Amino acid sequence: MLAPRDEQLIGLERAINRRIARVEDPAERRILRSYATWRHLRRLRMVADRRPITADQVVYACNALTAAAGLLNWLHGRGQTLAICTQDDIDDWLVIDAFSRSRGFVTWAVDGGHAHNIEVPPFHNEPVREVFADRDQRWSLARQLLHDDSIALPDRVAGLLVLLYAQRAARITQLTIGNVTVTDDGVELLLGKASIATPEAFGDLLEALVNDRRATATGSQDRRTRSGSIRHHG
């Protein structure tokens, strides 16, 4: 007897209200409501007129709104607003928003005049490969990181990941020794969906870092074992 309703859409509307309520500044809260209404709800209501929306569509919208609310509150904590923030602010934010989930919101805000001269680049799982000229300063920095033993090994590897593979700091901090594979043909590094063969000099640094991490972990385990043994016999 009752008209059918899309439960996913009803749940999304409630989720949107919860996320909007998290924004501390009232003016920014109104901006987020406009974004939620015209960018997400309007589109999904049109979809719901033709077919039920999916859980994945709801999750996508919720993630985008969570990231947008997080950005607005983060700016508020820095004494900034969306209207006056700069690209430097956005670049700092991307250390937190490692997967660029706020990109849609920032693009919408700029198009609507709520923000100016800022952008969030698209997130790429695969490393970006570029060919630099010999005179490029990045080659000079890369050579220094490859050969200067006075620089800490983790810093050398992290710097080369930025210079050679355009990896973000947030992505680099997520890498583990499991991303590195040593084979008879060299050292492979998993940055995206597939491993890539690294140049020999960089591969040597990766292998040295992995060995150092494993030795540190083994030493810590040995110390815990000895400590446990002492406590047991004590």
Side-chain angles (χ1 to χ4, degrees):
M1 295 176 63
L2 296 176
R5 69 176 189 174
D6 193 313
E7 295 299 332
Q8 295 280 9
L9 189 59
I10 297 299
L12 174 60
E13 292 171 349
R14 293 170 180 165
I16 285 174
N17 288 331
R18 290 195 298 270
R19 282 157 178 78
I20 292 172
R22 296 174 187 171
V23 178
E24 299 173 13
D25 185 271
E28 306 288 75
R29 201 180 302 140
R30 287 192 291 272
I31 292 174
L32 185 59
R33 183 171 293 280
S34 294
Y35 170 66
T37 300
W38 299 108
R39 181 61 180 267
H40 292 285
L41 272 179
R42 179 173 178 270
R43 177 177 60 84
L44 290 178
R45 282 169 178 163
M46 292 174 63
V47 172
D49 288 340
R50 301 189 303 271
R51 62 181 183 275
I53 64 175
T54 67
D56 286 343
Q57 289 173 312
V58 171
V59 169
Y60 176 83
C62 286
N63 286 342
L65 290 163
T66 298
L71 171 60
L72 292 173
N73 283 334
W74 182 83
L75 288 171
H76 182 72
R78 285 165 70 105
Q80 289 279 55
T81 66
L82 191 62
I84 63 173
C85 75
T86 67
Q87 188 61 42
D88 288 340
D89 294 311
I90 297 300
D91 290 342
D92 289 344
W93 162 252
L94 289 177
V95 176
I96 302 170
D97 182 23
F99 297 102
S100 306
R101 291 193 176 101
S102 57
R103 182 170 185 260
F105 173 66
V106 170
T107 301
W108 173 88
V110 171
D111 291 343
H114 301 290
H116 310 279
N117 301 319
I118 59 173
E119 66 173 353
V120 173
F123 174 75
H124 296 290
N125 284 325
E126 297 294 336
V128 178
R129 296 173 176 82
E130 297 180 359
V131 178
F132 306 125
D134 286 341
R135 65 180 178 274
D136 196 290
Q137 183 182 12
R138 281 172 286 189
W139 274 125
S140 176
L141 291 172
R143 284 192 291 269
Q144 180 183 5
L145 291 171
L146 283 170
H147 303 296
D148 190 345
D149 293 335
S150 66
I151 302 173
L153 181 57
D155 294 340
R156 295 168 69 185
V157 170
L160 288 165
L161 285 170
V162 173
L163 292 169
L164 301 180
Y165 299 100
Q167 295 296 292
R168 294 180 185 167
R171 173 65 179 129
I172 292 172
T173 60
Q174 296 172 355
L175 297 176
T176 69
I177 60 175
N179 290 83
V180 180
T181 303
V182 180
T183 69
D184 293 337
D185 297 324
V187 177
E188 296 180 352
L189 179 62
L190 180 64
L191 290 177
K193 296 180 180 179
S195 295
I196 58 174
T198 61
E200 183 178 357
F202 181 46
D204 290 343
L205 291 180
L206 282 172
E207 185 175 1
L209 181 59
V210 168
N211 291 337
D212 179 69
R213 288 289 186 264
R214 286 174 175 161
T216 301
T218 301
S220 298
Q221 180 63 41
D222 289 343
R223 286 192 294 272
R224 287 195 296 270
T225 300
R226 289 195 297 270
S227 177
S229 177
I230 291 171
R231 287 195 298 268
H232 176 74
H233 289 295

